[in-house]
Amino acid sequence: MNKKIGFIGLGIMGKPMSKNLIKAGYSLVVYDINPDAMEEVAKCGAEKGTSPKDVAEKCDIVITMLPNSPHVKQVVLGENGVLEGARPGMILIDSSSIAPLVSKEIAEKVKEKGVLMLDAPVSGGEPKAIDGTLSFMVGGDEEVFAKVEDILKAMGSSVVLVGEIGSGNVTKLANQIIVALNIAAMSEAFVLATKAGVDPEKVYKAIRGGLAGSTVLDAKVPMVLARNFKPGFRIDLHIKDLMNALDTGHGVGVPLPLTSQVMEILQALKADQKEKQDHSGIVQFYEKLAGIEVKK
Ligand code: NAD
């Protein structure tokens, strides 16, 4: 496909994702409010856009990778936004993790101008964004999905259409509940093992191949042992996801008791000014309770 692709939001995730599209041979027009981020991707061969509207005017497909619902609304529906520059038939792929109801709302609005939308959030974090092995969970029409599947495959190793618009973000919320609870369980367990006098590195080696082993364990235990809480995935973004999960759960009548507990742990870390750290920093909540540090 020779069509030009727009990419808006060049942060921890958007930068490597857009670079992988360039590597795969696509022509890109990029935009971010941070000029340094744009400069970095432009050096790899992308054209710099001047606004989301400008990007949409130049492209048949526009991908957004922004923090949360208000940012996506602003970039798509706001002044000088994507919708102002879009032509009928343009495809908007929102890869940000946002509230499923907002995905539906934006899709309805852009449809009035003939723009087709998919919500396509990802899992895998920065390392998999760099490797091009992200997991995409996509919501929207099958026909639209078929047109852009190859583009998503240039950034991810798993690309699954899960249902109608909004389903991608419902799936992402499920993913984020599992990840948050896993990190909390891992933290509780490693603080116990350390305080009980067992070397946490040996605990990790001993259990990673068994039933307790997981992608979360392999990604996060080495970070904790090295006391490296550089994000990765920030605590403030996980607070945003759990807020969206709790809202969605309450909206459809599903209590989320464990999610709400981990939410309060994240809030405690935020009150401790740790919200810009990686979510593996959850361990510090348990360390404070027990008066011990999990390290090599
Ligand atoms: P980030 O904060 O690093 O990047 C967001 C980018 O959006 C920044 O470069 C920012 O300047 C830009 N931006 C904000 N408002 C804008 C606007 N109005 N116009 C143009 N650009 C704007 O965040 P990230 O870690 O890359 O995450 C992006 C999304 O992906 C979030 O929804 C997050 O939850 C999700 N996500 C992140 C990870 C991860 O590990 N970091 C993993 C999976 C999903």
Side-chain angles (χ1 to χ4, degrees), residues 247-265:
D247 279 351
T248 305
H250 300 159
V252 297
V254 175
L256 300 169
L258 294 178
T259 304
S260 61
Q261 279 208 23
V262 178
M263 172 62 127
E264 294 311 309
I265 291 174

Side-chain angles (χ1 to χ4, degrees), residues 11-13 32-33 65-67 75 97 122 125 232-234 240:
I12 290 177
M13 297 298 283
D32 194 292
I33 45 174
M65 192 54 172
L66 298 157
V75 163
S97 308
V122 300
F233 189 72
R234 293 193 310 265
K240 174 262 303 182

Side-chain angles (χ1 to χ4, degrees), residues 87-213:
R87 291 177 301 277
M90 194 199 91
I91 299 176
L92 170 65
I93 306 170
D94 180 34
S95 277
S96 328
S97 308
I98 69 170
L101 280 178
V102 176
S103 297
K104 285 187 183 175
E105 190 188 322
I106 296 173
E108 280 301 311
K109 287 255 165 64
V110 300
K111 200 174 163 190
E112 289 168 13
K113 205 172 170 181
V115 173
L116 310 160
M117 178 173 165
L118 300 171
D119 63 321
V122 300
S123 172
E126 190 185 23
K128 286 178 182 265
I130 293 170
D131 292 353
T133 56
L134 289 168
S135 296
F136 280 87
M137 35 212 116
V138 188
D141 290 346
E142 211 164 334
E143 253 174 52
V144 183
F145 174 73
K147 285 185 186 160
V148 300
E149 196 177 352
D150 285 347
I151 293 171
L152 300 181
K153 282 188 174 156
M155 299 179 281
S157 52
S158 160
V159 177
V160 179
L161 180 69
V162 287
E164 62 183 22
I165 185 81
S167 308
N169 271 308
V170 171
T171 308
K172 176 67 184 177
L173 292 180
N175 183 86
Q176 291 306 81
I177 289 174
I178 294 169
V179 171
L181 268 54
N182 258 277
I183 298 176
M186 168 198 112
S187 300
E188 203 164 295
F190 276 78
V191 166
L192 166 71
T194 306
K195 191 134 189 199
V198 186
D199 176 354
E201 199 172 12
K202 292 197 174 134
V203 173
Y204 171 51
K205 277 190 189 144
I207 68 173
R208 61 182 293 234
L211 193 55

